[in-house]
Amino acid sequence: MFGKILVCLDGSSLSEQIVPYATEVARRFGSRVVLLQVLQIPSSLAAASAQGAENVIEEELRRLSYEAHQYLEGIATQMKEKGVPAEVSVIEGTPGDAIVEYASQSGIELIVVATHGRKNIGRLVFGSVADHVMRHSFIPVLSVKPEEIKE
């Protein structure tokens, strides 16, 4: 039913709480998993670009991309150890739009994403990637609200 599952991670421990759900769905359906992280260019880098510091931006994006790949590869290894084929992808863009576009162009049959549970003004100001994906994608979405981790 779900040949290819997209698991959207942002590097946070909250988003990682979707991994067991995605792993179990993939195991049950014999699915392949794509672990995705979207890099959004920080406004400080965008400002540097406007001032002609493109090489600074390229260097920072390379660093962020390398770190994201390393992070996702670690999770992919854990999934592979559980018998789930997994690959990683790091792309640039606005997270909600980038996820929807990537999924529609990559043969994805299920998107798994965490909600971060923002309420009221937080949602109004920051929006919600999960909400955006659910509203703009024609692909089924499994949305999981992670538990807040107390430190």
Side-chain angles (χ1 to χ4, degrees), residues 59-74:
E59 185 177 317
E60 182 65 9
L61 283 175
R62 272 195 300 273
R63 183 187 68 75
L64 292 171
S65 179
Y66 175 78
E67 289 174 359
H69 272 93
Q70 295 294 84
Y71 163 72
L72 295 175
E73 286 292 347

Side-chain angles (χ1 to χ4, degrees), residues 10-138:
D10 65 8
S12 71
S13 58
L14 287 175
S15 73
E16 287 178 27
Q17 290 182 40
I18 66 173
V19 172
Y21 294 95
T23 301
E24 186 59 25
V25 170
R27 280 183 1 91
R28 289 186 185 223
F29 287 101
S31 309
R32 292 181 332 186
V33 169
V34 178
L35 301 169
L36 176 72
Q37 186 166 357
V38 179
L39 299 179
Q40 190 168 9
I41 298 174
S43 56
S44 59
L45 287 181
S49 174
Q51 296 173 359
E54 291 87 10
N55 58 344
V56 171
I57 292 174
E58 289 175 21
E59 185 177 317
E60 182 65 9
L61 283 175
R62 272 195 300 273
R63 183 187 68 75
L64 292 171
S65 179
Y66 175 78
E67 289 174 359
H69 272 93
Q70 295 294 84
Y71 163 72
L72 295 175
E73 286 292 347
I75 294 172
T77 298
Q78 294 170 9
M79 294 180 102
K80 290 173 187 175
E81 289 170 354
K82 293 179 179 166
V84 175
E87 61 188 76
V88 304
S89 184
V90 177
I91 59 176
E92 295 174 35
T94 302
D97 291 331
I99 290 166
V100 170
E101 183 177 340
Y102 182 92
S104 67
Q105 294 179 353
S106 302
I108 299 299
E109 297 176 55
L110 176 68
I111 301 169
V112 182
V113 63
T115 64
H116 283 215
R118 289 190 182 103
K119 292 187 168 85
N120 304 328
I121 193 72
R123 170 170 270 153
L124 182 63
V125 173
F126 297 107
S128 168
V129 172
D131 283 348
H132 182 90
V133 171
M134 285 186 273
R135 283 185 282 115
H136 293 92
S137 177
F138 294 104

